[in-house]
Amino acid sequence: MTDEQYFVKEWLNRMYAAANAIEALERKRELVVCSMSGIGKYDAKSFSGNNGENASETKLLEYSELSSMIDKKRDELSREDMVTLKVIDSLEGKNAEIEKAVLIDRYLNRLSWSQLEKNHNFERSRLTQFHNEALGK
């Protein structure tokens, strides 16, 4: 594996992890929304050590903070996706075009292997080969 391939591999893994982190925050925010639906202004939980805040205010604050974090991380990921695209575009080789397409769909479009099979009309084993060749595995 060349230094360039190692860099690409590490960069792609980092981007994939960042996208997963955003999805985890979105799931957490959704749980907050679900929990808010059952909170009344004078819920008994309202007076359990929240410095006078009621539970609905606490949940709204949590929702707002999660939304801000998600927006910030999405902006960061969007900027990094542009760099990722440039890095992928720099790859060369005999199957460079399909390798680039597989990497873009897998890491930027975040498609599953089964979705890649449908989009590219290759079996997973061949797609994995293209993927690994691009990353020098």
Side-chain angles (χ1 to χ4, degrees):
M1 178 183 299
T2 67
D3 287 343
E4 181 180 288
Q5 289 169 322
Y6 179 78
F7 171 75
V8 171
K9 177 184 171 192
E10 291 303 311
W11 185 265
L12 293 175
N13 284 334
R14 186 171 156 238
M15 295 302 94
Y16 204 79
N20 287 339
I22 290 170
E23 289 174 7
L25 286 171
E26 289 171 335
R27 285 190 300 273
K28 186 174 181 180
R29 182 175 64 180
E30 185 62 30
L31 289 173
V32 170
V33 169
C34 290
S35 69
M36 285 171 54
S37 65
I39 296 175
K41 183 167 180 151
Y42 299 104
D43 192 328
K45 297 176 191 170
S46 300
F47 303 102
S48 59
N50 288 334
N51 297 330
E53 295 177 347
N54 68 39
S56 59
E57 289 172 345
T58 302
K59 292 296 181 182
L60 284 172
L61 182 60
E62 184 178 3
Y63 177 86
S64 176
E65 289 171 354
L66 285 168
S67 293
S68 293
M69 287 173 55
I70 289 167
D71 290 344
K72 181 181 174 189
K73 288 193 179 291
R74 278 188 184 145
D75 288 344
E76 290 171 8
L77 186 60
S78 179
R79 285 189 300 275
E80 291 178 353
D81 278 351
M82 297 305 292
V83 173
T84 302
L85 188 56
K86 288 178 184 177
V87 168
I88 290 172
D89 197 44
S90 72
L91 295 174
E92 297 177 355
K94 70 177 186 174
N95 295 316
E97 292 309 311
I98 186 66
E99 290 171 2
K100 289 176 189 181
V102 168
L103 293 178
I104 288 169
D105 279 346
R106 183 74 177 138
Y107 293 98
L108 293 177
N109 299 331
R110 292 165 188 86
L111 300 182
S112 68
W113 287 108
S114 61
Q115 291 169 313
L116 286 169
E117 287 177 294
K118 291 175 188 170
N119 288 3
H120 296 285
N121 296 316
F122 285 105
E123 291 183 10
R124 182 174 178 163
S125 60
R126 187 64 178 130
L127 291 168
T128 304
Q129 246 180 342
F130 290 134
H131 177 272
N132 291 344
E133 286 170 12
L135 299 180
K137 290 184 180 177

